[in-house]
Coordinates of all heavy atoms in Angstrom, one line a residue:
M27 N 9.8 -10.7 4.2 CA 9.7 -9.3 4.6 C 8.9 -9.2 5.9 O 7.8 -9.8 6.0 CB 9.0 -8.5 3.5 CG 8.9 -7.0 3.7 SD 8.2 -6.3 2.2 CE 8.0 -4.7 2.8
Q28 N 9.4 -8.5 6.8 CA 8.7 -8.4 8.1 C 8.0 -7.1 8.2 O 8.5 -6.0 7.9 CB 9.7 -8.5 9.3 CG 9.1 -8.7 10.6 CD 10.2 -9.0 11.6 OE1 11.4 -8.8 11.4 NE2 9.7 -9.5 12.8
H29 N 6.7 -7.2 8.6 CA 5.9 -6.0 8.7 C 5.7 -5.6 10.2 O 5.2 -6.5 11.0 CB 4.5 -6.3 8.1 CG 3.5 -5.2 8.3 ND1 3.5 -4.0 7.6 CD2 2.4 -5.1 9.1 CE1 2.5 -3.3 7.9 NE2 1.8 -3.9 8.9
Q30 N 6.2 -4.5 10.6 CA 6.2 -4.1 12.0 C 4.7 -3.8 12.4 O 4.0 -3.1 11.6 CB 7.1 -2.9 12.3 CG 7.3 -2.6 13.7 CD 8.5 -1.7 14.0 OE1 9.1 -1.3 13.1 NE2 8.7 -1.4 15.2
I31 N 4.4 -4.2 13.6 CA 3.0 -3.9 14.1 C 3.1 -2.8 15.1 O 3.9 -2.8 16.0 CB 2.4 -5.2 14.7 CG1 2.3 -6.3 13.7 CG2 1.1 -4.9 15.4 CD1 1.9 -7.6 14.2
F32 N 2.2 -1.8 14.8 CA 2.1 -0.6 15.7 C 0.7 -0.6 16.3 O -0.2 -1.1 15.8 CB 2.3 0.7 14.9 CG 3.7 0.8 14.3 CD1 3.8 0.5 13.0 CD2 4.8 1.1 15.1 CE1 5.1 0.6 12.4 CE2 6.0 1.2 14.5 CZ 6.2 0.9 13.1
R33 N 0.7 0.0 17.5 CA -0.6 0.1 18.2 C -0.8 1.6 18.6 O 0.1 2.2 19.1 CB -0.6 -0.7 19.5 CG -0.6 -2.2 19.2 CD -0.4 -2.9 20.5 NE -0.4 -4.4 20.3 CZ -1.1 -5.2 20.9 NH1 -1.9 -4.9 21.9 NH2 -1.1 -6.5 20.6
V34 N -2.0 2.1 18.3 CA -2.4 3.4 18.7 C -2.6 3.3 20.2 O -3.4 2.5 20.7 CB -3.6 4.0 18.0 CG1 -4.0 5.3 18.5 CG2 -3.3 4.1 16.5
Q35 N -2.0 4.2 21.0 CA -2.2 4.2 22.4 C -3.0 5.4 22.9 O -3.6 5.3 23.9 CB -0.8 4.2 23.2 CG -0.1 2.9 23.1 CD 1.1 2.8 24.1 OE1 1.8 3.8 24.2 NE2 1.3 1.7 24.7
R36 N -2.9 6.5 22.1 CA -3.6 7.7 22.6 C -3.8 8.6 21.4 O -3.2 8.5 20.4 CB -2.9 8.4 23.7 CG -1.6 9.0 23.2 CD -0.7 9.4 24.4 NE 0.7 9.7 23.9 CZ 1.6 8.8 23.5 NH1 1.3 7.6 23.4 NH2 2.8 9.2 23.1
F37 N -4.8 9.5 21.5 CA -5.0 10.5 20.5 C -5.5 11.8 21.2 O -6.1 11.7 22.3 CB -5.9 10.1 19.4 CG -7.3 9.9 19.8 CD1 -8.2 11.0 19.7 CD2 -7.8 8.8 20.3 CE1 -9.5 10.9 20.1 CE2 -9.1 8.6 20.7 CZ -10.0 9.7 20.6
Q38 N -5.4 12.9 20.5 CA -5.9 14.2 21.0 C -6.4 14.9 19.8 O -5.7 15.0 18.8 CB -4.8 14.9 21.7 CG -5.2 16.3 22.2 CD -4.0 17.1 22.7 OE1 -2.9 16.7 22.6 NE2 -4.3 18.2 23.4
V39 N -7.6 15.4 19.9 CA -8.1 16.3 18.8 C -7.4 17.7 19.0 O -7.5 18.3 20.1 CB -9.7 16.5 19.0 CG1 -10.2 17.4 17.9 CG2 -10.4 15.1 18.8
V40 N -6.7 18.1 18.0 CA -6.0 19.4 18.1 C -6.6 20.4 17.1 O -6.0 21.6 17.1 CB -4.5 19.1 17.8 CG1 -3.9 18.3 18.9 CG2 -4.3 18.5 16.4
G41 N -7.6 20.1 16.4 CA -8.2 21.1 15.5 C -9.2 20.4 14.6 O -9.4 19.1 14.8
P42 N -10.0 21.1 13.8 CA -11.0 20.4 12.9 C -10.3 19.4 12.0 O -9.4 19.7 11.3 CB -11.5 21.6 12.1 CG -11.2 22.8 12.9 CD -9.9 22.5 13.6
F43 N -10.7 18.1 12.2 CA -10.2 17.0 11.4 C -8.7 16.7 11.6 O -8.1 16.0 10.8 CB -10.5 17.2 9.9 CG -11.9 17.6 9.6 CD1 -12.3 18.9 9.4 CD2 -12.9 16.6 9.7 CE1 -13.6 19.2 9.1 CE2 -14.2 16.9 9.5 CZ -14.6 18.2 9.2
K44 N -8.1 17.3 12.7 CA -6.7 17.0 13.0 C -6.6 16.3 14.3 O -7.2 16.7 15.3 CB -5.9 18.4 13.1 CG -5.8 19.0 11.8 CD -5.0 20.3 11.9 CE -4.9 21.0 10.6 NZ -4.1 22.2 10.7
L45 N -5.8 15.3 14.3 CA -5.5 14.5 15.5 C -4.0 14.4 15.8 O -3.2 14.2 14.8 CB -6.1 13.1 15.4 CG -7.6 13.0 15.2 CD1 -8.0 11.5 15.0 CD2 -8.4 13.6 16.3
R46 N -3.6 14.4 17.0 CA -2.2 14.0 17.4 C -2.4 12.6 17.9 O -3.1 12.3 18.8 CB -1.7 14.9 18.5 CG -0.2 14.5 18.9 CD 0.3 15.4 19.9 NE 0.2 16.9 19.6 CZ 0.9 17.5 18.7 NH1 1.9 16.9 18.0 NH2 0.7 18.8 18.5
V47 N -1.7 11.7 17.2 CA -1.8 10.2 17.5 C -0.5 9.7 18.1 O 0.6 9.9 17.5 CB -2.2 9.5 16.2 CG1 -2.4 8.0 16.5 CG2 -3.4 10.1 15.6
G48 N -0.6 9.0 19.2 CA 0.6 8.4 19.9 C 0.6 6.9 19.8 O -0.5 6.3 19.9
F49 N 1.8 6.4 19.5 CA 1.9 4.9 19.3 C 2.7 4.3 20.4 O 3.4 4.9 21.2 CB 2.6 4.7 17.9 CG 1.8 5.3 16.8 CD1 2.0 6.6 16.4 CD2 0.8 4.6 16.2 CE1 1.3 7.2 15.4 CE2 0.1 5.2 15.2 CZ 0.3 6.5 14.8
D50 N 2.6 2.9 20.4 CA 3.3 2.2 21.4 C 4.8 2.2 21.3 O 5.5 1.8 22.3 CB 2.8 0.7 21.4 CG 3.1 0.0 20.1 OD1 3.3 0.7 19.1 OD2 3.0 -1.3 20.1
D51 N 5.4 2.7 20.3 CA 6.8 2.8 20.2 C 7.3 4.2 20.6 O 8.5 4.5 20.5 CB 7.3 2.5 18.8 CG 6.9 3.5 17.7 OD1 6.0 4.4 18.0 OD2 7.4 3.5 16.6
G52 N 6.4 5.0 21.2 CA 6.8 6.3 21.7 C 6.7 7.4 20.7 O 6.9 8.6 21.0
T53 N 6.4 7.1 19.4 CA 6.3 8.2 18.4 C 4.9 8.8 18.3 O 4.0 8.2 18.9 CB 6.7 7.6 17.0 OG1 5.8 6.6 16.6 CG2 8.1 7.1 17.0
E54 N 4.8 9.9 17.7 CA 3.6 10.6 17.5 C 3.5 11.1 16.0 O 4.5 11.3 15.4 CB 3.4 11.8 18.4 CG 3.2 11.5 19.8 CD 2.9 12.8 20.6 OE1 3.2 13.9 20.1 OE2 2.4 12.6 21.7
Q55 N 2.3 11.2 15.5 CA 2.0 11.8 14.3 C 0.9 12.9 14.5 O -0.1 12.6 15.2 CB 1.5 10.8 13.2 CG 2.5 9.9 12.7 CD 3.6 10.5 11.8 OE1 3.4 11.7 11.4 NE2 4.6 9.8 11.6
L56 N 1.1 14.0 13.8 CA 0.0 15.0 13.8 C -0.6 14.8 12.4 O 0.1 15.0 11.4 CB 0.6 16.4 13.9 CG -0.4 17.6 13.8 CD1 -1.5 17.5 14.9 CD2 0.3 18.9 13.9
I57 N -1.9 14.4 12.4 CA -2.5 14.0 11.1 C -3.7 14.9 10.8 O -4.6 15.1 11.7 CB -3.0 12.6 11.2 CG1 -1.8 11.6 11.5 CG2 -3.7 12.2 9.9 CD1 -2.2 10.2 11.7
D58 N -3.7 15.5 9.6 CA -4.8 16.3 9.1 C -5.5 15.3 8.2 O -5.0 15.0 7.1 CB -4.3 17.5 8.4 CG -5.5 18.4 7.8 OD1 -6.7 17.9 7.9 OD2 -5.2 19.5 7.4
F59 N -6.7 14.9 8.5 CA -7.5 13.9 7.7 C -8.2 14.5 6.6 O -8.7 13.8 5.7 CB -8.4 13.1 8.7 CG -7.7 12.1 9.5 CD1 -7.3 12.5 10.8 CD2 -7.5 10.8 9.1 CE1 -6.6 11.6 11.6 CE2 -6.9 9.9 10.0 CZ -6.4 10.3 11.2
R60 N -8.4 15.8 6.5 CA -9.2 16.5 5.5 C -8.9 16.0 4.1 O -9.8 15.7 3.3 CB -9.1 18.0 5.5 CG -10.0 18.6 6.6 CD -9.9 20.0 6.7 NE -8.6 20.4 7.3 CZ -8.3 21.5 7.9 NH1 -9.2 22.4 7.9 NH2 -7.1 21.7 8.4
P61 N -7.6 15.8 3.6 CA -7.4 15.4 2.3 C -7.9 14.0 1.9 O -8.0 13.7 0.7 CB -5.8 15.5 2.1 CG -5.4 16.3 3.3 CD -6.4 16.1 4.4
V62 N -8.2 13.2 2.9 CA -8.6 11.8 2.6 C -10.0 11.5 2.8 O -10.5 10.4 2.7 CB -7.7 10.8 3.3 CG1 -6.2 11.1 3.0 CG2 -7.9 10.9 4.8
L63 N -10.8 12.5 3.2 CA -12.2 12.3 3.6 C -13.1 12.3 2.4 O -13.8 13.2 2.1 CB -12.7 13.3 4.6 CG -11.9 13.3 5.9 CD1 -12.5 14.3 6.9 CD2 -11.9 11.9 6.6
A64 N -13.0 11.2 1.6 CA -13.9 11.0 0.4 C -14.2 9.5 0.3 O -13.6 8.7 1.0 CB -13.2 11.5 -0.8
G65 N -15.2 9.2 -0.5 CA -15.5 7.8 -0.7 C -16.6 7.4 0.2 O -17.0 8.2 1.2
E66 N -17.2 6.3 0.0 CA -18.3 5.8 0.7 C -18.1 5.7 2.2 O -18.9 6.1 3.1 CB -18.8 4.4 0.2 CG -20.0 3.9 0.8 CD -20.4 2.6 0.2 OE1 -20.2 2.3 -1.0 OE2 -21.1 1.8 0.9
L67 N -16.9 5.3 2.6 CA -16.6 5.0 4.0 C -16.1 6.3 4.7 O -16.5 6.6 5.9 CB -15.6 3.9 4.2 CG -15.3 3.4 5.6 CD1 -16.6 2.9 6.2 CD2 -14.3 2.2 5.5
F68 N -15.2 7.1 4.1 CA -14.6 8.2 4.7 C -15.3 9.5 4.5 O -15.1 10.4 5.3 CB -13.1 8.3 4.3 CG -12.3 7.1 4.7 CD1 -11.8 6.2 3.7 CD2 -12.1 6.8 6.0 CE1 -11.1 5.1 4.1 CE2 -11.4 5.7 6.4 CZ -10.9 4.8 5.4
E69 N -16.1 9.7 3.5 CA -16.7 11.0 3.3 C -17.7 11.4 4.4 O -17.7 12.6 4.8 CB -17.5 11.0 1.9 CG -18.1 12.4 1.6 CD -18.8 12.4 0.3 OE1 -18.7 11.5 -0.5 OE2 -19.4 13.4 0.0
P70 N -18.4 10.4 5.0 CA -19.2 10.8 6.2 C -18.4 11.5 7.3 O -19.0 12.3 8.1 CB -19.9 9.5 6.6 CG -19.9 8.7 5.4 CD -18.6 9.1 4.6
L71 N -17.1 11.2 7.4 CA -16.3 11.8 8.4 C -16.0 13.3 8.2 O -15.5 14.0 9.1 CB -15.0 11.1 8.6 CG -15.1 9.6 8.9 CD1 -13.7 9.0 9.0 CD2 -15.9 9.3 10.2
S72 N -16.4 13.8 7.0 CA -16.2 15.2 6.8 C -17.3 16.0 7.6 O -17.2 17.3 7.6 CB -16.3 15.5 5.3 OG -17.6 15.2 4.8
E73 N -18.2 15.3 8.2 CA -19.1 16.0 9.1 C -18.4 16.0 10.5 O -18.2 14.9 11.1 CB -20.4 15.2 9.2 CG -21.4 15.7 10.2 CD -21.9 17.2 9.9 OE1 -22.1 17.5 8.8 OE2 -21.9 17.9 10.9
L74 N -18.0 17.1 11.0 CA -17.2 17.2 12.2 C -17.7 16.5 13.4 O -17.0 15.9 14.1 CB -16.9 18.7 12.5 CG -15.8 19.0 13.5 CD1 -14.5 18.4 13.0 CD2 -15.6 20.5 13.6
S75 N -19.1 16.5 13.5 CA -19.7 15.9 14.7 C -19.4 14.4 14.6 O -19.2 13.8 15.7 CB -21.2 16.2 14.8 OG -21.8 15.7 13.6
L76 N -19.4 13.8 13.5 CA -19.1 12.3 13.3 C -17.6 12.1 13.5 O -17.1 11.2 14.2 CB -19.5 11.8 12.0 CG -19.2 10.3 11.8 CD1 -19.9 9.4 12.9 CD2 -19.7 9.8 10.4
F77 N -16.8 13.0 12.9 CA -15.3 12.8 13.0 C -14.9 12.8 14.4 O -14.0 12.0 14.8 CB -14.6 13.9 12.2 CG -13.1 13.8 12.2 CD1 -12.5 13.0 11.3 CD2 -12.4 14.4 13.2 CE1 -11.1 12.8 11.4 CE2 -11.0 14.3 13.3 CZ -10.3 13.5 12.4
N78 N -15.5 13.7 15.2 CA -15.0 13.9 16.6 C -15.5 12.7 17.5 O -15.1 12.7 18.7 CB -15.5 15.2 17.2 CG -14.7 16.4 16.6 OD1 -13.6 16.2 16.2 ND2 -15.3 17.5 16.7
Q79 N -16.2 11.7 17.0 CA -16.6 10.6 17.7 C -15.5 9.5 17.6 O -15.7 8.3 18.0 CB -17.9 10.0 17.2 CG -19.1 11.0 17.6 CD -20.4 10.4 17.1 OE1 -20.7 9.3 17.3 NE2 -21.1 11.3 16.4
V80 N -14.3 9.8 17.1 CA -13.2 8.9 17.0 C -12.9 8.2 18.4 O -13.1 8.8 19.4 CB -12.0 9.6 16.4 CG1 -11.5 10.7 17.4 CG2 -10.9 8.6 16.1
A81 N -12.5 7.0 18.3 CA -12.1 6.2 19.5 C -11.0 5.3 19.1 O -10.7 5.1 17.9 CB -13.3 5.4 20.0
I82 N -10.4 4.6 20.1 CA -9.4 3.6 19.9 C -10.1 2.3 20.1 O -10.7 2.0 21.1 CB -8.2 3.7 20.9 CG1 -7.5 5.1 20.6 CG2 -7.3 2.6 20.7 CD1 -6.4 5.4 21.6
D83 N -10.0 1.4 19.1 CA -10.5 0.1 19.2 C -9.6 -0.7 20.1 O -8.4 -0.8 19.9 CB -10.6 -0.6 17.8 CG -11.2 -2.0 17.9 OD1 -10.5 -2.9 18.4 OD2 -12.4 -2.1 17.4
P84 N -10.2 -1.3 21.2 CA -9.4 -2.0 22.2 C -8.8 -3.3 21.7 O -7.8 -3.8 22.3 CB -10.3 -2.2 23.3 CG -11.7 -2.2 22.7 CD -11.6 -1.3 21.6
E85 N -9.3 -3.9 20.6 CA -8.8 -5.1 20.1 C -7.7 -4.9 19.1 O -6.7 -5.6 19.1 CB -9.9 -6.0 19.4 CG -10.8 -6.6 20.5 CD -11.8 -7.5 19.8 OE1 -11.4 -8.3 18.9 OE2 -13.0 -7.5 20.3
V86 N -7.9 -4.0 18.1 CA -6.9 -3.9 17.0 C -6.0 -2.6 17.2 O -5.1 -2.4 16.4 CB -7.6 -3.8 15.6 CG1 -8.2 -5.2 15.3 CG2 -8.6 -2.7 15.5
H87 N -6.3 -1.8 18.3 CA -5.5 -0.7 18.6 C -5.3 0.3 17.5 O -4.1 0.6 17.2 CB -4.2 -1.2 19.2 CG -4.3 -2.1 20.4 ND1 -4.6 -1.7 21.6 CD2 -4.3 -3.5 20.4 CE1 -4.8 -2.7 22.4 NE2 -4.6 -3.8 21.7
T88 N -6.4 0.7 16.9 CA -6.3 1.7 15.9 C -7.5 2.7 16.1 O -8.4 2.4 16.9 CB -6.3 1.2 14.5 OG1 -5.9 2.2 13.6 CG2 -7.6 0.6 14.0
L89 N -7.5 3.8 15.3 CA -8.6 4.7 15.4 C -9.8 4.2 14.6 O -9.6 3.6 13.5 CB -8.2 6.1 14.8 CG -7.0 6.7 15.4 CD1 -6.6 8.0 14.7 CD2 -7.2 7.0 16.9
V90 N -11.0 4.3 15.2 CA -12.2 3.8 14.6 C -13.3 4.9 14.8 O -13.2 5.7 15.7 CB -12.7 2.5 15.2 CG1 -11.7 1.4 14.8 CG2 -12.9 2.6 16.7
W91 N -14.3 4.9 13.9 CA -15.4 5.8 14.0 C -16.7 5.0 14.0 O -16.7 3.8 13.5 CB -15.4 6.7 12.8 CG -14.4 7.8 12.9 CD1 -14.5 9.1 13.4 CD2 -13.0 7.8 12.6 NE1 -13.4 9.8 13.4 CE2 -12.4 9.0 12.9 CE3 -12.1 6.8 12.0 CZ2 -11.1 9.3 12.7 CZ3 -10.8 7.1 11.8 CH2 -10.3 8.3 12.1
P92 N -17.8 5.5 14.5 CA -19.0 4.8 14.6 C -19.6 4.3 13.3 O -20.3 3.3 13.3 CB -20.0 5.8 15.2 CG -19.2 6.8 15.9 CD -17.9 6.9 15.1
N93 N -19.2 4.9 12.1 CA -19.7 4.4 10.8 C -18.9 3.2 10.3 O -19.1 2.7 9.2 CB -19.7 5.5 9.8 CG -18.4 5.9 9.4 OD1 -17.4 5.8 10.1 ND2 -18.3 6.5 8.2
G94 N -17.9 2.7 11.1 CA -17.1 1.6 10.6 C -15.8 2.0 10.0 O -14.9 1.1 9.7
A95 N -15.5 3.3 9.8 CA -14.3 3.7 9.2 C -13.1 3.5 10.2 O -13.3 3.6 11.4 CB -14.4 5.2 8.8
D96 N -12.0 3.1 9.6 CA -10.8 3.0 10.4 C -9.6 3.1 9.5 O -9.7 3.1 8.2 CB -10.7 1.7 11.2 CG -10.7 0.4 10.3 OD1 -10.7 0.5 9.1 OD2 -10.6 -0.7 10.9
F97 N -8.4 3.2 10.0 CA -7.1 3.2 9.3 C -6.2 2.1 9.9 O -6.2 2.0 11.1 CB -6.5 4.5 9.3 CG -7.2 5.6 8.5 CD1 -8.1 6.4 9.1 CD2 -6.8 5.8 7.2 CE1 -8.8 7.4 8.3 CE2 -7.4 6.8 6.5 CZ -8.4 7.6 7.0
D98 N -5.4 1.5 9.1 CA -4.4 0.5 9.6 C -3.5 1.3 10.5 O -3.0 2.4 10.1 CB -3.7 0.0 8.4 CG -2.6 -1.1 8.8 OD1 -1.8 -0.8 9.7 OD2 -2.6 -2.2 8.2
P99 N -3.2 0.8 11.7 CA -2.3 1.6 12.5 C -0.9 1.8 11.9 O -0.3 2.9 12.2 CB -2.2 0.8 13.8 CG -2.8 -0.5 13.5 CD -3.6 -0.4 12.3
A100 N -0.4 1.0 11.0 CA 0.9 1.2 10.4 C 0.8 2.4 9.4 O 1.7 3.1 9.3 CB 1.3 -0.1 9.6
T101 N -0.4 2.5 8.8 CA -0.6 3.7 7.9 C -0.6 5.0 8.7 O 0.0 6.0 8.3 CB -1.9 3.5 7.1 OG1 -1.9 2.4 6.3 CG2 -2.2 4.7 6.3
L102 N -1.3 5.0 9.8 CA -1.3 6.1 10.7 C 0.2 6.4 11.2 O 0.6 7.6 11.2 CB -2.2 5.9 11.9 CG -3.7 5.7 11.6 CD1 -4.4 5.3 12.8 CD2 -4.3 7.0 11.0
H103 N 0.9 5.4 11.6 CA 2.2 5.6 12.1 C 3.1 6.2 11.1 O 4.0 7.1 11.4 CB 2.8 4.2 12.5 CG 4.1 4.3 13.2 ND1 5.3 4.2 12.4 CD2 4.5 4.4 14.4 CE1 6.3 4.3 13.2 NE2 5.9 4.4 14.4
D104 N 3.0 5.8 9.8 CA 3.9 6.3 8.8 C 3.1 7.2 7.8 O 3.3 7.3 6.6 CB 4.4 5.1 8.0 CG 5.3 4.2 8.8 OD1 5.9 4.7 9.8 OD2 5.3 3.0 8.5
W105 N 2.2 8.0 8.4 CA 1.3 8.9 7.6 C 2.0 9.7 6.6 O 1.5 9.8 5.4 CB 0.5 9.8 8.6 CG -0.6 10.6 7.9 CD1 -0.6 11.9 7.5 CD2 -1.9 10.0 7.5 NE1 -1.8 12.2 6.9 CE2 -2.6 11.1 6.9 CE3 -2.5 8.8 7.7 CZ2 -3.9 11.0 6.5 CZ3 -3.8 8.6 7.2 CH2 -4.5 9.7 6.6
P106 N 3.1 10.3 6.8 CA 3.8 11.2 5.8 C 4.1 10.3 4.5 O 4.1 10.9 3.4 CB 5.0 11.7 6.4 CG 4.7 11.7 7.9 CD 3.8 10.5 8.1
L107 N 4.3 9.1 4.7 CA 4.7 8.2 3.5 C 3.4 7.8 2.7 O 3.5 7.4 1.6 CB 5.3 6.9 4.0 CG 6.6 7.1 4.8 CD1 7.1 5.7 5.2 CD2 7.7 7.8 3.9
H108 N 2.2 7.9 3.3 CA 1.0 7.5 2.7 C 0.0 8.5 2.3 O -0.9 8.3 1.5 CB 0.3 6.5 3.6 CG 1.1 5.3 4.0 ND1 1.5 4.3 3.1 CD2 1.7 5.0 5.2 CE1 2.3 3.4 3.7 NE2 2.4 3.8 5.0
V109 N 0.1 9.7 2.9 CA -0.9 10.7 2.7 C -1.1 11.1 1.3 O -2.3 11.3 0.8 CB -0.7 11.9 3.6 CG1 0.5 12.7 3.3 CG2 -2.0 12.8 3.6
D110 N -0.1 11.3 0.5 CA -0.2 11.7 -0.9 C -1.0 10.7 -1.7 O -1.9 11.0 -2.5 CB 1.1 12.0 -1.6 CG 1.8 13.2 -1.0 OD1 1.1 14.1 -0.4 OD2 3.0 13.3 -1.1
E111 N -0.7 9.4 -1.5 CA -1.4 8.4 -2.3 C -2.9 8.3 -1.8 O -3.8 8.2 -2.6 CB -0.8 7.0 -2.0 CG -1.5 5.9 -2.7 CD -0.8 4.5 -2.4 OE1 0.3 4.5 -2.0 OE2 -1.6 3.5 -2.6
L112 N -3.1 8.4 -0.5 CA -4.5 8.4 0.0 C -5.3 9.6 -0.5 O -6.5 9.4 -0.9 CB -4.5 8.3 1.5 CG -3.9 7.1 2.2 CD1 -3.8 7.2 3.7 CD2 -4.8 5.9 1.8
A113 N -4.7 10.7 -0.5 CA -5.4 11.9 -1.0 C -5.7 11.8 -2.5 O -6.7 12.2 -3.0 CB -4.5 13.2 -0.7
A114 N -4.8 11.2 -3.3 CA -5.0 11.0 -4.7 C -6.2 10.1 -4.9 O -7.0 10.3 -5.8 CB -3.8 10.5 -5.4
R115 N -6.3 9.0 -4.1 CA -7.4 8.1 -4.2 C -8.7 8.8 -3.9 O -9.7 8.6 -4.5 CB -7.2 7.0 -3.2 CG -6.7 5.7 -3.9 CD -6.8 4.6 -2.9 NE -5.5 4.0 -2.8 CZ -5.1 3.2 -1.9 NH1 -5.9 2.9 -0.9 NH2 -3.9 2.7 -1.9
A116 N -8.6 9.7 -2.8 CA -9.8 10.4 -2.4 C -10.3 11.4 -3.5 O -11.5 11.5 -3.8 CB -9.5 11.2 -1.2
R117 N -9.4 12.0 -4.2 CA -9.7 12.9 -5.3 C -10.4 12.1 -6.5 O -11.4 12.5 -7.1 CB -8.5 13.6 -5.9 CG -8.1 14.8 -4.9 CD -7.0 15.7 -5.6 NE -5.8 15.0 -5.9 CZ -4.8 14.8 -5.0 NH1 -4.9 15.2 -3.8 NH2 -3.7 14.1 -5.4
K118 N -9.9 10.9 -6.7 CA -10.5 10.0 -7.7 C -11.9 9.7 -7.4 O -12.8 9.7 -8.2 CB -9.7 8.7 -7.9 CG -8.6 8.8 -8.9 CD -8.0 7.4 -9.0 CE -7.0 7.3 -10.1 NZ -6.3 6.0 -10.2
W119 N -12.2 9.3 -6.1 CA -13.5 9.0 -5.6 C -14.4 10.1 -5.8 O -15.6 10.0 -6.1 CB -13.5 8.5 -4.2 CG -12.8 7.2 -4.0 CD1 -12.7 6.1 -4.9 CD2 -12.1 6.8 -2.8 NE1 -12.0 5.1 -4.3 CE2 -11.6 5.5 -3.0 CE3 -11.9 7.3 -1.6 CZ2 -10.9 4.7 -2.1 CZ3 -11.1 6.6 -0.6 CH2 -10.7 5.3 -0.9
E120 N -13.9 11.3 -5.5 CA -14.8 12.5 -5.6 C -15.2 12.8 -7.1 O -16.3 13.1 -7.3 CB -14.0 13.8 -5.1 CG -13.9 13.8 -3.6 CD -13.1 15.0 -3.0 OE1 -12.2 15.5 -3.8 OE2 -13.3 15.3 -1.9
L121 N -14.2 12.6 -8.0 CA -14.5 12.8 -9.4 C -15.5 11.7 -9.9 O -16.4 12.0 -10.7 CB -13.3 12.7 -10.2 CG -12.3 13.8 -10.0 CD1 -11.0 13.6 -10.8 CD2 -12.9 15.1 -10.5
Q122 N -15.4 10.5 -9.4 CA -16.4 9.4 -9.8 C -17.8 9.7 -9.3 O -18.7 9.2 -9.9 CB -15.8 8.1 -9.3 CG -14.6 7.6 -10.0 CD -14.0 6.4 -9.5 OE1 -14.5 5.9 -8.4 NE2 -13.0 5.8 -10.1
S123 N -17.9 10.4 -8.2 CA -19.2 10.6 -7.6 C -19.9 11.8 -8.2 O -21.1 12.0 -7.9 CB -19.1 10.7 -6.1 OG -18.5 11.9 -5.8
V124 N -19.3 12.5 -9.1 CA -19.9 13.7 -9.7 C -20.7 13.3 -10.9 O -20.6 12.4 -11.5 CB -18.8 14.8 -10.1 CG1 -19.4 15.9 -10.8 CG2 -18.1 15.2 -8.8

């Protein structure tokens, strides 16, 4: 099975917790990260000032944040296929922390 490798080339903040992400194959995703901002690594990103410090890592070509949070570029590329599962995991983490 061959796993296609994607690289994030650009992003634009388009709203609170929303990014338009462009990839090296010319495609884009409009991603609302709010449903997945839970758990030890991603919950801190629910603070908008931290979320907006997003950058592109020049080595792995994905989105990264100063607290070490990141997403696999293939997950970002195919966000609609993964968001429901990621959001379900986030809800589980929220319930466990209560």
Side-chain angles (χ1 to χ4, degrees):
M27 183 173 173
Q28 193 171 14
H29 176 74
Q30 192 164 358
I31 297 174
F32 298 101
R33 294 172 179 231
V34 173
Q35 287 192 322
R36 65 195 171 286
F37 71 89
Q38 176 185 12
V39 177
V40 294
F43 309 104
K44 290 183 183 179
L45 302 176
R46 181 176 312 283
V47 184
F49 300 90
D50 61 341
D51 66 349
T53 62
E54 289 186 343
Q55 287 291 348
L56 178 60
I57 301 175
D58 181 352
F59 286 89
R60 280 180 285 204
V62 303
L63 299 183
E66 187 176 330
L67 192 57
F68 296 113
E69 186 174 352
L71 300 181
S72 63
E73 177 61 43
L74 194 55
S75 62
L76 179 60
F77 182 86
N78 285 340
Q79 293 179 49
V80 62
I82 298 174
D83 183 287
E85 285 186 41
V86 295
H87 304 282
T88 195
L89 301 178
V90 294
W91 284 266
N93 71 334
D96 68 356
F97 288 89
D98 182 309
T101 299
L102 296 171
H103 183 274
D104 298 330
W105 190 257
L107 301 176
H108 302 290
V109 67
D110 291 339
E111 180 183 338
L112 293 172
R115 261 190 237 164
R117 286 189 298 275
K118 271 187 177 177
W119 291 331
E120 286 175 339
L121 291 174
Q122 291 173 354
S123 68
V124 173

